[in-house]
Amino acid sequence: MTPTPHISAGSGEFAPDMLMPGDPKRAARIAADLLTDATLVTDVRGISGFTGTIGGRPLSVMASGMGNPSISIYATELYRFYGVRRIIRVGTCGGIPEDLAVGDVVVASAAHTESTTGTVRVPGVSLSLAPSPHLLRSALTASGADVRVGPVLSTDFFYLTRPGVVDALGELGTLAIEMEAAGLYATAMAEGAEALAILTVSDHVKTRAAMSSDERERRYERMLDLAVKTLSL
Ligand code: HPA
């Protein structure tokens, strides 16, 4: 059943493996930087998706838009109708612990959320939202010591975190705040597919240190390297 309501690509136009940043401009840039023979395969609502090869292996890059609902729509259509099997979110996050610096890379081994993405599927149960154990193992093997691994908060509200929530989450070992890992992990679970979120700390919620938007684009390299290696193991 392709195209789908939100993706205009035809059947077979996506690779089984995908990198998924939030921003469509970043998707275009990643495709241009990483892929050989990148072809634009969808552009509905400006959410661009590309397919090409890297080291001879097919790879797609497509944006998710912002938030758990948006990534859930795209990931569902990609897994269910386009044969995509593994999606690695490559995005930015706000760091929580003081020893996490802007530019550091975080691998999300779990995603807490106040979004209903974890509670709508089984009444009365809050699902544990976790990445594919295979992708997580590959990421840990590929990364060496220079990444932080732990839970993140995938919030639906960039501007509405209640006072105290970040401190409480930090005390529970939560590394960062972002907006899509939980939606992606829940969708992968529902569709019987694989997902992982690898994030770059773009700002710090306590120290207020931040990257400029220009810097965000350039400091993506370590995270992208790790994502590509993870898919190749
Ligand atoms: N909150 C939510 N999402 C984010 C943040 C943040 O502080 N930083 C980068 N993405």
Side-chain angles (χ1 to χ4, degrees):
M1 203 196 83
T2 62
T4 59
H6 308 95
I7 300 174
S8 57
S11 293
E13 290 194 310
F14 286 109
D17 289 343
M18 176 174 283
L19 299 183
M20 183 169 263
D23 176 356
K25 280 199 184 139
R26 223 177 282 143
R29 179 136 170 190
I30 293 169
D33 288 350
L34 293 186
L35 299 182
T36 303
D37 296 329
T39 308
L40 179 74
V41 296
T42 182
D43 199 21
V44 179
R45 293 175 181 242
I47 294 287
S48 47
F50 304 83
T51 298
T53 61
I54 181 162
R57 294 159 49 92
L59 179 69
S60 292
V61 180
M62 183 171 138
S64 66
M66 286 185 281
N68 292 305
S70 184
I71 199 166
S72 302
I73 290 169
Y74 295 111
T76 299
E77 293 181 10
L78 291 164
Y79 287 140
R80 193 178 293 176
F81 301 113
Y82 284 98
V84 174
R85 297 328 303 156
R86 303 196 294 179
I87 297 177
I88 298 187
R89 160 164 160 71
V90 282
T92 53
C93 62
I96 298 177
E98 309 242 322
D99 64 349
L100 201 59
V102 165
D104 282 355
V105 174
V106 169
V107 175
S109 60
H112 307 308
T113 189
E114 87 290 277
S115 158
T116 54
T117 191
T119 53
V120 284
R121 288 186 170 82
V122 183
V125 174
S126 178
L127 298 173
S128 292
L129 301 177
S132 149
H134 308 292
L135 287 177
L136 182 60
R137 181 182 54 194
S138 297
L140 299 191
T141 303
S143 65
D146 61 342
V147 301
R148 293 287 290 271
V149 184
V152 300
L153 173 70
S154 303
T155 182
D156 276 350
F157 298 97
F158 189 92
Y159 292 107
L160 240 187
T161 311
R162 287 206 193 95
V165 166
V166 169
D167 286 336
L169 286 166
E171 279 167 24
L172 296 174
T174 309
L175 295 179
I177 307 186
E178 54 85 69
M179 302 187 70
E180 291 85 17
L184 178 62
Y185 292 177
T187 305
M189 187 189 293
E191 299 299 322
E194 294 191 64
L196 177 68
I198 303 179
L199 308 161
T200 299
V201 179
S202 60
D203 49 81
H204 198 285
V205 297
K206 295 222 174 117
T207 66
R208 297 280 153 204
M211 284 186 196
S212 64
S213 54
D214 205 40
E215 227 181 338
R216 276 184 199 217
E217 290 217 11
R218 283 184 282 109
R219 291 185 71 171
Y220 251 46
E221 277 129 50
R222 272 181 62 217
M223 172 178 66
L224 289 176
D225 255 22
L226 177 56
V228 167
K229 276 198 198 125
T230 297
L231 289 170
S232 74
L233 287 181

